[in-house]
Amino acid sequence: MEFITAIGRPEAIKTDAIVVGVHADGELTPTAKALDAACNGALKAATKSGDMTGKRGALLPLLGLTGISAPRVLLAGLGSKDDFNERAFNDAVRCSVKAFNGAAKSVTVAALDWQVKNRDAEWQACSLAIAARETTFRTDELKSKRDPEITGAGSVGLLLKTRNAAAERGLRYGDAISNGMEMTKRLGNLPPNICTPSFLADESRKMAKKWKLDVEVLETKQLEALKMGSFLSVAKGSAQPPRLIVLKYNGAPKSSKAAPVVMVGKGITFDSGGISIKPGASMDEMKFDMCGAASVLGTMRALVELNLKINVVGVIAACENMPSGAAVKPGDIVTSMSGQTIEILNTDAEGRLILCDALTYAERFKPSAVVNIATLTGACVVALGGVNSGLFSNNDALANELLAASRDAGDPAWRMPLDDDYQEQLKSNFADMANIGTPGAGAVIAACFLARFTKAYAWAHLDIAGTAWKGGAAKGATGRPVPLLAQFLINRAAR
Ligand code: BES
Ligand code: MN
Ligand code: ZN
C-alpha cells in the first residue's frame, strides 16, 4: 500500500474512489458539501432519504455521480461531532479503505475534514497511514494456501487543497511506523520452533545489512566472559543457545557524540515457565514472550525511514525458558553481571533474570536514557488489561516524555509506582535478592527488581504483557508499543 497526497478540488481528483464524512445529524463535512454542490445534491439527498444516517461506521457508496471525476464516492458516517475522537478517526479510515472489495485500487480520503480535538494535520495524516495499513496485515506465510487476496486499496491518497508539509510528513511517518509494526507483528506471530534466539539474531543481521545498521551478536562463550550468570541460568534448560543482539542506528552527526537512547527488549522465544512449569491452557501464547524484543527491532526498522538525527542502540536478550535436566531450579542462586546475587525461587519469573544482565550491559553505551520493553508479568495484565502498557521509571522527566508520546501515538501507557517500600518484598535469606516477592503488586515487584540494576542512568520499563498481543479469535501480535517508541524518538530528535 502506498500513500500519496491528492491536491486539488475534490470533484476533479483523479482517483477510483473518494471518501467524505457525514456527521450523525446528517451534516456534511466541508469536502462532502463541495462534492454535493458539484453533483446537484446527490449527497444531501442520501442523508435526507435516510440511506446515510451519519452514524459511526455507516457506509454508503454512490457510483457514477455526474460532475465528479471519481467514479465512486463513499459517504462515511462519523457519528456525533462532539464525540469524534482518535478512535472514531481510525475506525472511519479502516472501514473506508476496505469498503470497495478491491474494486477501487486508489482511494482518496478527505481526512483533514475529520477534526479530532487537539490533533493537527500531521497527526491526521500519520494516523490515516497507520490505520489504513492495519487493514491489510496478515501472517499467512506458513499456510499452504495463503489467505484470500487482500481486497483493500493499493494506494491511499490524502486529499489536500494545497501542498501541506505537515501532512506529507505525517504520511511518511505513518508509513515508517507501519513498517515497524508489521515487522514486530510478524516476528511475534511466528511460531517458537522457527522464531528462536538464533532466528532473531539472523533477522537482526539481515536488517543491519539492508539498512546499514551496526550489528553485533554475542553467543554463549561471550556471555560467559561478560559474567552474565543470571541470563545464562535461564538459557541453560534449552537446546537452543541464547543470543545477545546489539543493533545500532547512528543518526546524529558524528561530531556531536550524542549519547544514545538504549532500548532493551525481552526476547524469550518461548516461556514454558521452566521447572516452575506453567499450566497447559493457552501455553502456546508464550511464544509472544519475545514481543519486547520484536518491538525493539520494529522500532529500529521504523527509525531507518524516519531518518531521525539521533543515536539509538537496541539490545535484545534472547533465549528459551525450558525445563530439562540442565535447567535452573527453584532455590538456585546465581550471580548477575552486576555482581549482585539472586536466589531463583520461581523459574517462571525469568524475564527479569535475562533483562537485569542486559540492563547492566547497557551501561557501556553511556546512554542518555534506557527504555526496556518486556512482556514481564501476568499481574500487569490484571492491573491494566489490554489498554494501557505499564510504565515504570526512576526519572520523572523520562516518564513524562514517554507518557506524552504514548498519548500522541494513540498507544497508551499508564505510570505505575516504584516506591522503595516495595523493595522489601524481594528480600532473600541467602542471596542479595530473590527473583519473586511476597504476594501482591506483582508488576511493581518485577519493576523493583529491574530498578536494582538501573541506578546508573535514567531508566524506564514498559510492561507490555497485556498490550503486545491479543488472544482469542483475533489472536496475534498488535505491533505495540512501536508507535509509542517511535513517537518518543521523533519527539527526542526534535528537541
Ligand atoms: N512471560 C510471563 C508474563 C506473562 C504472563 C505475560 C501472562 C503475559 C501473560 C512471565 O515470564 C511470567 O511468567 N511471569 C510470572 C511471574 C511470577 C512467577 C512472579 C507471572 O506473571 O505469573
Ligand atoms: Mn515466565
Ligand atoms: Zn516470560
Side-chain angles (χ1 to χ4, degrees), residues 266 271 278 286 289 346 348 350 375-378 436 465 469:
K266 172 179 174 183
D271 181 10
K278 286 181 182 292
M286 281 300 125
D289 212 17
N346 188 318
D348 198 9
E350 85 298 339
T375 48
L376 202 61
T377 63
I436 58 168
W469 80 88

Side-chain angles (χ1 to χ4, degrees), residues 448-493:
C448 283
F449 180 96
L450 298 179
R452 294 180 180 226
F453 299 85
T454 59
K455 298 214 159 102
Y457 43 68
W459 160 76
H461 153 54
L462 286 166
D463 193 332
I464 58 167
T467 53
W469 80 88
K470 286 188 176 123
K475 180 153 62 187
T478 60
R480 293 177 66 184
V482 170
L484 187 170
L485 294 168
Q487 190 65 50
F488 166 71
L489 295 172
I490 290 169
N491 296 352
R492 268 216 161 201

Side-chain angles (χ1 to χ4, degrees), residues 3-46:
F3 297 100
I4 54 171
T5 53
I7 301 169
R9 284 180 301 121
E11 64 275 21
I13 295 291
K14 297 264 176 294
T15 178
D16 295 338
I18 183 161
V19 183
V20 292
V22 181
H23 282 290
D25 47 7
E27 184 191 335
L28 301 179
T29 52
T31 308
K33 273 191 198 134
L35 287 182
D36 190 56
C39 69
N40 293 321
L43 281 66
K44 195 84 224 160

Side-chain angles (χ1 to χ4, degrees), residues 410-424:
D411 183 0
W414 192 264
R415 188 159 181 196
M416 302 275 280
L418 255 189
D419 310 42
D420 265 346
D421 287 0
Y422 290 104
Q423 288 287 357
E424 267 174 52

Side-chain angles (χ1 to χ4, degrees), residues 303-323:
L303 262 179
V304 172
E305 281 165 347
L306 292 169
N307 203 17
L308 303 178
K309 295 192 174 16
I310 186 175
N311 294 335
V312 181
V313 181
V315 176
I316 288 168
C319 71
E320 274 185 345
N321 185 23
M322 296 291 279

Side-chain angles (χ1 to χ4, degrees), residues 272-482:
S272 69
I275 297 296
S276 314
I277 199 159
K278 286 181 182 292
S282 303
M283 205 204 254
D284 67 291
E285 293 189 12
M286 281 300 125
K287 72 174 184 177
F288 293 116
D289 212 17
M290 38 56 73
C291 280
S295 73
V296 170
L297 294 179
T299 304
M300 298 300 275
R301 167 77 181 87
L303 262 179
V304 172
E305 281 165 347
L306 292 169
N307 203 17
L308 303 178
K309 295 192 174 16
I310 186 175
N311 294 335
V312 181
V313 181
V315 176
I316 288 168
C319 71
E320 274 185 345
N321 185 23
M322 296 291 279
S324 83
V328 71
K329 304 171 291 298
D332 284 1
I333 293 180
V334 299
T335 305
S336 66
M337 184 183 179
S338 72
Q340 299 177 89
T341 59
I342 304 162
E343 184 184 18
I344 299 178
L345 293 177
N346 188 318
T347 65
D348 198 9
E350 85 298 339
R352 61 200 79 181
L353 295 174
I354 70 170
L355 287 170
C356 68
D357 282 343
L359 287 165
T360 301
Y361 186 80
E363 284 179 25
R364 68 186 51 210
F365 303 110
K366 303 200 167 36
S368 62
V370 176
V371 181
N372 75 254
I373 307 102
T375 48
L376 202 61
T377 63
C380 195
V381 189
V382 174
L384 299 174
V387 178
N388 279 285
S389 301
L391 168 66
F392 302 82
S393 180
N394 64 9
N395 183 294
D396 290 342
L398 177 61
N400 289 334
E401 270 183 80
L402 287 161
L403 288 174
S406 85
R407 280 190 295 269
D408 287 349
D411 183 0
W414 192 264
R415 188 159 181 196
M416 302 275 280
L418 255 189
D419 310 42
D420 265 346
D421 287 0
Y422 290 104
Q423 288 287 357
E424 267 174 52
Q425 288 179 239
L426 285 169
K427 262 176 129 174
S428 157
N429 287 7
F430 308 114
D432 296 342
M433 70 194 86
N435 78 324
I436 58 168
T438 48
V444 182
I445 299 307
C448 283
F449 180 96
L450 298 179
R452 294 180 180 226
F453 299 85
T454 59
K455 298 214 159 102
Y457 43 68
W459 160 76
H461 153 54
L462 286 166
D463 193 332
I464 58 167
T467 53
W469 80 88
K470 286 188 176 123
K475 180 153 62 187
T478 60
R480 293 177 66 184
V482 170

